[in-house]
Amino acid sequence: MQPATAPVETQKQGSAQLVSTQIGNNIGIATISKPPVNSLSSDVCDALLKSFDEFERANVRVVVIRANPNAKIWSAGHDIREIPLDGHDAVTWTTGFERVLHRVRSCTVPVITMLHSSVWGAACDLAVTCDLAIGTPNTTFAITPVKLGISYNTAGMSHFLGVLPLHIVKEMVFTGNPLSAEDALRFGLLNRLVSPEKLEATTMEIAATIASRAPLAVSVVKAELGSLSRGAPMSADEFEFIQAARRAAFQSDDLKEGVKSFFEKRPPVFHGN
């Protein structure tokens, strides 16, 4: 697969090499490149946030997030090395990854993710938070926190429920097993499923079409759909109960075992405490 071939009037390397940027024809493209697995580490997230700043200054009408097409994995999600083992929550409102998700959701223009290969863990959250997702038969989605003993945050669960049927989300989060590209298309996670050779052209064609529409109207309907899709709010009691359960999970021995087994490349042995 070749680098982006969409008509680009100007090309500028982002301030952080972890995320390069291209701007042209009212389209901003951010390319994640952190070998070998493009983890969404704090430095990558900081670079992504800077790319959004750059796109905002340039008044782009569409943003495309992609990964280096030579990477075997689109992204493996959170950097396991950054998960705290002292009982603190790894996924709070102020972490870099959460700030990226807030930025995608609050971005006034549509954000498209171009997925050439597998998407794991928190990267699935990023994919479903984007407004559109284009993939290939090589694209799979695995929500993997249970394999490490991590309790995923409530906001992230709401993102998945906004895109996938409830029982599909349950199977994914209970097992950590991947969802195929074909099923992702069938359930509505992917907007388009195309051959690897057509991924870039299809994504850029959709981006160019959106960029040609009335930008103020597009921004309004994005805001409307975002508000309408959030549904009924969670009660204060429900939120506090879930947060207490999440704190217990982050303070558990199982979390330490999950992270330890990951680095030792062996199956974890969980005891529920």
Side-chain angles (χ1 to χ4, degrees), residues 75-194:
S75 173
H78 282 300
D79 187 337
I80 304 301
R81 293 171 180 80
E82 295 184 358
I83 294 176
L85 298 179
D86 58 0
H88 284 84
D89 195 334
V91 192
T92 63
W93 187 259
T94 56
T95 59
F97 174 69
E98 284 297 311
R99 287 188 291 121
V100 169
L101 296 186
H102 305 331
R103 192 65 178 272
V104 170
R105 294 174 75 85
S106 65
C107 183
T108 58
V109 305
V111 182
I112 303 173
T113 182
M114 180 165 62
L115 306 166
H116 74 276
S117 58
S118 53
V119 186
W120 300 351
C124 287
D125 201 343
L126 176 58
V128 301
T129 299
C130 290
D131 298 296
L132 302 176
I134 318 298
T136 77
N138 300 322
T139 306
T140 60
F141 300 87
I143 308 172
T144 54
V146 293
K147 291 186 173 182
L148 295 171
I150 296 172
S151 171
Y152 211 81
N153 65 343
T154 307
M157 288 293 100
S158 73
H159 300 162
F160 297 123
L161 284 173
V163 174
L164 289 164
L166 172 60
H167 282 258
I168 300 305
V169 175
K170 285 182 177 180
E171 181 177 351
M172 293 179 72
V173 300
F174 291 166
T175 67
N177 292 337
L179 183 73
S180 69
E182 292 76 13
D183 283 342
L185 178 69
R186 182 160 59 96
F187 295 129
L189 196 165
L190 287 176
N191 291 82
R192 304 283 176 84
L193 176 59
V194 298

